[in-house]
Amino acid sequence: MIWHQNQNTARYRVAAVAFFMCLATAVHSQDIQIATNGDVEISFQVFGDQTDPPLVFIDGLATAVRPGGDALTEALVAQGFRVVRFDNRDAGQSTVLTDAGAPPSNEVIVESLMTGTTPPVAYTLSDMAGDTMAVLDAAGIEQAHVMGASLGGMIAQTIATEYPGRTLSLISVSSSTGDPDLPFGPAMEAMTAPPAATAEGRVEQYTQLYRAFEGDAFKMTDAEILARVEADGAAGDPLAPARQGAAATASGDRQDRLASVELPALVIHGSDDPLFPDSHADSTAEAVPNGQLEIVDGLGHIVSDAAAGEIASRVATFVNDLSTSNKE
């Protein structure tokens, strides 16, 4: 699931992520490996041929790798990538920081940013970028194309600014720079709705939230949404998404930092993104000196299985063009 917070306190509603359901049964995979970053363990998997160019994909807020597989990973592998997938901290099978409790209020985080003090959050996007580096280390990968969606795109942007030597390219999907002046779309209302009173109600609410993120095309099947909800619920802590959202908030506006990125960058955004309007895509592409923007007609905020082939094809074209340019 995806969550974004703007620095405008009127739009920040960290507590609203309490809608996130808690499923009792965790889902396991025999192919899971573990990377460590301090006290945090990150669950990851590697797909594809070891000789293919590596690409690490970073999921959005509260989103976990589906044990049964997903079409985007398969499509990227089919395009000739060695794909690394993992669960962010506070998601899926990775360490859930339950002892950290609820994050500070938005007002506290924003006040800290405005006064130049360190926001009192459990972790930041820099810590999550460090988790990604730990995964690459454990997988024996020195450099990779770094791709992320929504919150994952924000982490990918952070990696490009903090670990440029390990980043072959930046691929930011359905994401934003954190510019506090950018507007949200209508799906924010669903994001901030109070949680349902029962477990069954929360499952239905979560399903409807996924539907709210769809565009006019590339719809998700009921089976796909069920698989996503089951995987996402493995974290088992309804406050985990709030901590991830607070990490994004506390990391502030990335525009100035992205201006120093000399890496090739691809920004992919849906024409029907109901959470981040096109201005978020424009902001990202304009912030990176070598940013290339591609709008996908009919795509919403979610890279559904139906959209996987289209997205993977665009990524492959982008990377192949880089290889051609480097040979000339």
Side-chain angles (χ1 to χ4, degrees), residues 111-133:
E111 182 178 357
S112 295
L113 291 172
M114 294 180 65
T115 58
T117 59
T118 302
V121 294
Y123 51 87
T124 65
L125 295 185
S126 292
D127 296 310
M128 301 180 84
D131 294 342
T132 310
M133 294 301 102

Side-chain angles (χ1 to χ4, degrees), residues 159-247:
I159 291 170
T161 61
E162 298 183 4
Y163 301 94
R166 302 198 64 179
T167 309
L168 294 173
S169 71
L170 165 64
I171 304 166
S172 181
V173 184
S174 302
S175 196
S176 180
T177 59
D179 179 350
D181 295 324
L182 294 175
F184 289 120
M188 181 53 71
E189 181 178 354
M191 285 290 293
T192 56
T198 65
E200 293 80 2
R202 288 192 293 275
V203 169
E204 177 62 24
Q205 186 176 38
Y206 212 54
T207 299
Q208 292 178 359
L209 185 57
Y210 264 117
R211 289 293 183 204
F213 283 133
E214 289 183 317
D216 288 339
F218 307 114
K219 300 290 188 180
M220 288 176 280
T221 65
D222 291 343
E224 178 185 345
I225 290 180
L226 176 60
R228 287 176 179 269
V229 171
E230 288 179 343
D232 296 348
D237 182 351
L239 292 175
R243 291 190 291 269
Q244 289 187 343

Side-chain angles (χ1 to χ4, degrees), residues 71-72 75 217-219 296 299 302-313:
L72 180 60
F218 307 114
K219 300 290 188 180
V296 181
L299 180 67
I302 293 287
V303 179
S304 65
D305 287 351
E310 176 69 21
I311 301 303
S313 176

Side-chain angles (χ1 to χ4, degrees), residues 26-29 31-32 45 47 64-70 93 227 230-231:
V27 190
H28 298 278
S29 168
D31 299 323
I32 286 177
Q45 296 170 277
F47 305 85
V65 177
R66 282 175 273 163
D70 67 279
Q93 303 296 327
E230 288 179 343

